């Protein structure tokens, strides 16, 4: 939700195997680099919010949510918004993602609730290499997919679930 001097950010975090020590948002003007972004600590655990104040009017900003663990920060996708001189709303649909069992050894089930239409799922290793890609289609706002992980090497993987409304990243550990 925007007005000429503030913006309220909404995000969702899926808890993985590492303890989250901080949750929040980083935002910057489109002309700035991320290292100069302002950090906002969020309230909430799985659904998080924070409000940025003192924003310039008619300015393009970038925002991204993060969760910080002992291994570092994991960022969500960047979203852009423009402040206006009046009231304006930006609504980004939230999805709920669960992955079980996790850690997995043979199969893991991915469940996405609140999904509208289709979502692309990209599985990457810790180096960012794409291991697998598939599409999920929602039925009554929910999509389920069983993932065969027998051929995956033991280690940590990331599932990026994305569609036109939202993006979520889930960590998967293979034993």
């Amino acid at each position: 939700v925007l007005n000429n001097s503030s913006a309220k950010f909404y995000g969702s975090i899926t808890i993985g195997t590492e303890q989250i020590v901080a949750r929040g948002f980083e935002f910057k003007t489109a002309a700035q680099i991320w290292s100069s972004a302002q950090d906002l600590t969020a309230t909430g655990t799985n659904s998080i919010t924070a409000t940025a104040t003192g924003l310039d009017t008619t300015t393009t900003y970038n925002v991204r949510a993060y969760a910080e663990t002992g291994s570092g920060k994991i960022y969500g996708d960047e979203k852009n918004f423009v402040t206006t001189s009046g009231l304006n709303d930006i609504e980004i649909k939230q999805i709920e993602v669960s992955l079980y069992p996790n850690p997995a050894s043979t199969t893991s089930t991915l469940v996405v609730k609140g999904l509208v239409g289709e979502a692309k799922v990209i599985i990457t290793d810790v180096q960012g290499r794409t291991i697998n890609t598939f599409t999920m289609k929602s039925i009554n706002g929910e999509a389920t997919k069983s993932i065969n992980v027998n051929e995956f090497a033991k280690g940590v993987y990331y599932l990026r679930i994305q569609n036109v409304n939202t993006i979520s990243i889930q960590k998967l550990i293979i034993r």
Side-chain angles (χ1 to χ4, degrees):
V1 178
L2 304 177
N3 64 35
N4 64 342
S5 64
S6 68
K8 187 165 187 179
F9 306 130
Y10 300 90
S12 63
I13 294 183
T14 304
I15 308 298
T17 56
E18 291 186 68
Q19 180 179 358
I20 295 176
V21 297
R23 298 164 176 80
F25 297 90
E26 290 181 352
F27 73 96
K28 65 177 188 68
T29 64
Q32 293 175 311
I33 57 174
W34 280 109
S35 61
S36 63
Q38 293 185 8
D39 190 309
L40 289 174
T41 300
T43 58
T45 303
N46 293 340
S47 293
I48 61 171
T49 61
T51 302
T53 59
L55 302 176
D56 296 328
T57 58
T58 60
T59 302
T60 300
Y61 286 91
N62 308 118
V63 63
R64 63 185 181 182
Y66 70 84
E68 186 172 357
T69 67
S71 301
K73 284 185 178 178
I74 298 173
Y75 295 98
D77 263 12
E78 295 176 25
K79 299 292 181 182
N80 301 325
F81 65 94
V82 179
T83 54
T84 64
S85 57
L87 293 177
N88 190 14
D89 286 338
I90 294 177
E91 183 178 337
I92 298 172
K93 303 287 185 196
Q94 293 184 3
I95 60 172
E96 183 181 322
V97 178
S98 59
L99 187 62
Y100 61 88
N102 191 9
S105 56
T106 56
T107 61
S108 188
T109 302
L110 174 64
V111 179
V112 182
K113 294 181 180 177
L115 181 65
V116 177
E118 291 186 347
K120 183 177 183 180
V121 179
I122 303 162
I123 302 174
T124 60
D125 62 15
V126 291
Q127 286 80 32
R129 294 179 295 221
T130 300
I131 304 302
N132 193 1
T133 302
F134 57 89
T135 301
M136 297 178 74
K137 184 171 179 143
S138 71
I139 299 171
N140 296 325
E142 185 173 319
T144 303
K145 171 80 172 172
S146 180
I147 303 168
N148 181 351
V149 297
N150 279 324
E151 297 178 15
F152 290 28
K154 292 179 182 179
V156 176
Y157 296 86
Y158 294 97
L159 280 73
R160 179 183 176 107
I161 302 101
Q162 65 185 49
N163 73 0
V164 295
N165 294 322
T166 190
I167 292 177
S168 181
I169 297 175
Q170 179 70 41
K171 186 177 187 179
L172 172 63
I173 298 173
I174 307 297
R175 287 190 181 165

